[in-house]
Amino acid sequence: MPKYNNPRKTWEYSKEFKVRAVKMSYQPDLQSKQVAEGLGIHPFMLSRWRKEYREGLLQGDGKKQVGLSKKRKVKTPKQMSENVQLKKEIERLKKENDLFKKVATVSGGSSSERFGFIHRYKKEFAIAALCRWLGVSRSGYYAWADREPSQRERSDQTLLKDITQVFDKSSGRYGSPRVHKTLARQGVQVSRKRVARLMRDNGLKARVTLVTRRQPGLKRFKNRGENKLLQFGGTIACDQIWVADVTYIKLSHQWTYLATIMDRHSRRILGWSLSHTRTTELTLAALNYAIRKGRHTEGVILHTDRGVEFTASDFQSALSKAGIEHSVNRPGYCTDNAYMESFYHSLKGELIRNQLFNGIDHLRREMGRYINQFYNRVRLHSGIEYYSPIEYERMAA
């Protein structure tokens, strides 16, 4: 068996804590389950403490044996005052219990880690109590707090400035993977985990969010069409597979619709269109945008969902004229078009969420800047080895 020099300690609740929890559970206006949830302990644990208290095994308050009942009695002024104090105490104990769980994560760590924990929570709890819980001396903590920053700490501060500069330059859109890749391109040699730690400790969190997207009703799906990508496999060059989709964007109190077309190989957005209505004209505008770029279209497979804006005769005629083959999702398999879903996730997290737009024209301008100037030209894409789409196309040419 391996020998553990610093095994993790399991926190043990004090008798005072147990007795107070038991007394709270016997209050007529409190249920045992509520007390357990408030203190962050399992109801079975509280039930065991109550049994030990009744049998005299738990004597934190000096009692040997008690016979408590849940029957309602007229409370004396003294009892009412005690109940008010107990209700206040439950909040304090809950806060302490939450801290105890955090203490367990650093109790087996180095002295420096424990001193750092004390430094973070010294405004909430007494330093003496924190030192006692973590098994360190107060003099040791004060000596640690007064010493000069170590070389590692000074290095972290210098690195944090570089990280913050990259983070701000991306308007808060880059998380630790893209910040790490950007620093590597600038010649800064640092591990990804260190970048993630510094960003986490300093509240640098990328603008991401869960995307809410309304799906067309299954009854509107048509039986015609097939998913041609199942037999095609992966891409080895640009202009082999394009993918397209439409998403909803809430603008004030009105929905707007964004249609986009992407080259699946390079992840470049080839065409997009924004409108107040979700019609065939919307998707046709995005398709014509892509075709006008002069890219090779003969034999390209365009994969979409089964929405009527893609299966309409006008849209199908435009595809045939350009020599583009149409592929559609399997019924009930929205993940067949995961590449576009991934783009919309990034778009809404990095541009739309928590932003105010003064009408659709303002949104269209910002959309153009994001897609044409940032996403296609600058943004590092994890799916193409952290290159931008245009840069990746240039390398693949």
Side-chain angles (χ1 to χ4, degrees):
M1 294 291 291
K3 182 179 179 181
Y4 296 96
N5 295 324
N6 292 309
R8 178 172 291 181
K9 299 178 182 178
T10 301
W11 184 260
E12 295 182 0
Y13 296 98
S14 65
K15 286 187 177 180
E16 180 186 7
F17 181 88
K18 295 178 182 179
V19 171
R20 287 184 179 275
V22 170
K23 292 176 70 175
M24 290 177 192
S25 69
Y26 277 111
Q27 297 302 312
D29 51 351
L30 288 175
Q31 296 180 357
S32 297
K33 184 178 180 181
Q34 293 174 329
V35 175
E37 291 178 352
L39 295 177
I41 60 178
H42 198 283
F44 289 168
M45 182 181 291
L46 179 58
S47 178
R48 187 177 72 248
W49 294 350
R50 285 158 57 99
K51 183 175 181 294
E52 294 174 354
Y53 188 81
R54 290 194 301 269
E55 295 175 351
L57 301 177
L58 195 59
Q59 303 175 20
D61 59 350
K63 293 185 178 181
K64 293 184 178 180
Q65 191 170 2
V66 294
L68 298 177
S69 173
K70 294 282 285 191
K71 295 182 180 179
R72 279 193 174 274
K73 297 180 180 180
V74 178
K75 298 178 183 178
T76 64
K78 182 178 179 180
Q79 290 175 327
M80 295 177 65
S81 177
E82 290 178 350
N83 288 345
V84 171
Q85 293 177 1
L86 287 173
K87 289 179 179 178
K88 292 181 180 179
E89 191 71 7
I90 192 173
E91 289 299 324
R92 186 184 69 83
L93 290 175
K94 179 182 178 182
K95 190 175 181 181
E96 286 188 2
N97 190 41
D98 291 340
L99 181 66
F100 295 157
K101 296 175 182 177
K102 297 176 181 178
V103 166
T105 64
V106 296
S107 58
S110 64
S111 297
S112 180
E113 290 174 336
R114 285 180 278 181
F115 289 147
F117 183 89
I118 294 171
H119 192 71
R120 284 197 301 272
Y121 291 98
K122 66 179 182 179
K123 294 183 179 179
E124 301 180 38
F125 300 94
I127 293 178
L130 290 169
C131 290
R132 184 174 65 254
W133 290 336
L134 289 171
V136 295
S137 65
R138 284 186 293 170
S139 60
Y141 164 71
Y142 287 120
W144 174 87
D146 293 338
R147 72 181 183 184
E148 293 294 326
S150 65
Q151 182 178 355
R152 178 72 170 185
E153 291 171 337
R154 293 195 297 269
S155 175
D156 279 350
Q157 292 301 318
T158 302
L159 179 59
L160 180 60
K161 293 179 181 179
D162 296 335
I163 292 173
T164 304
Q165 184 178 5
V166 173
F167 182 80
D168 292 340
K169 191 174 181 179
S170 70
S171 300
R173 293 164 178 156
Y174 278 6
S176 59
R178 290 185 173 85
V179 171
H180 173 253
K181 289 293 182 180
T182 303
L183 290 175
R185 290 189 171 192
Q186 295 175 358
V188 180
Q189 299 299 321
V190 62
S191 70
R192 175 175 167 179
K193 289 185 177 180
R194 188 180 180 189
V195 173
R197 173 178 61 82
L198 291 175
M199 291 184 67
R200 181 175 58 252
D201 292 345
N202 292 275
L204 301 179
K205 185 176 181 181
R207 295 174 53 189
V208 296
T209 184
L210 294 177
V211 177
T212 56
R213 179 179 182 275
R214 294 172 58 190
Q215 296 285 350
L218 291 177
K219 293 182 179 179
R220 298 179 58 190
F221 281 21
K222 298 185 178 180
N223 294 326
R224 63 183 182 182
E226 61 175 334
N227 188 339
K228 299 180 180 179
L229 303 187
L230 299 178
Q231 293 80 30
F232 190 89
T235 58
I236 59 175
C238 297
D239 298 327
Q240 290 182 326
I241 296 177
W242 294 357
V243 291
D245 203 356
V246 176
T247 190
Y248 295 74
I249 299 176
K250 192 68 173 294
L251 184 62
S252 297
H253 300 289
Q254 185 177 9
W255 288 108
T256 57
Y257 306 93
L258 173 68
T260 51
I261 297 178
M262 171 194 289
D263 186 298
R264 205 182 82 170
H265 185 72
S266 67
R267 310 299 200 273
R268 181 178 181 178
I269 300 301
L270 304 176
W272 61 276
S273 180
L274 187 70
S275 175
H276 279 306
T277 57
R278 181 174 182 171
T279 61
T280 307
E281 285 75 14
L282 174 70
T283 53
L284 271 174
L287 177 62
N288 291 331
Y289 190 143
I291 294 175
R292 285 198 303 269
K293 289 180 180 285
R295 299 175 71 97
H296 174 76
T297 60
E298 188 68 31
V300 171
I301 296 177
L302 176 66
H303 184 84
T304 70
D305 62 22
R306 293 174 176 263
V308 66
E309 61 273 5
F310 292 113
T311 57
S313 59
D314 290 346
F315 190 84
Q316 293 296 315
S317 297
L319 292 180
S320 300
K321 184 178 180 180
I324 300 174
E325 301 179 30
H326 193 203
S327 171
V328 294
N329 288 354
R330 293 167 292 173
Y333 286 82
C334 60
T335 53
D336 286 349
N337 207 5
Y339 290 88
M340 285 308 310
E341 299 292 348
S342 177
F343 167 72
Y344 289 145
H345 174 87
S346 301
L347 170 74
K348 293 186 177 181
E350 298 176 355
L351 176 67
I352 304 301
R353 191 67 62 173
N354 298 326
Q355 292 291 320
L356 296 177
F357 301 99
N358 300 321
I360 192 171
D361 292 334
H362 182 203
L363 175 59
R364 185 177 285 109
R365 289 195 300 271
E366 293 302 319
M367 190 72 67
R369 292 192 183 97
Y370 176 82
I371 293 177
N372 300 329
Q373 299 177 20
F374 178 72
Y375 185 88
N376 282 343
R377 296 180 178 276
V378 177
R379 187 181 188 273
L380 307 183
H381 201 297
S382 59
I384 49 176
E385 302 176 2
Y386 288 97
Y387 290 101
S388 69
I390 290 181
E391 186 178 12
Y392 191 76
E393 285 189 353
R394 191 180 300 117
M395 295 177 57

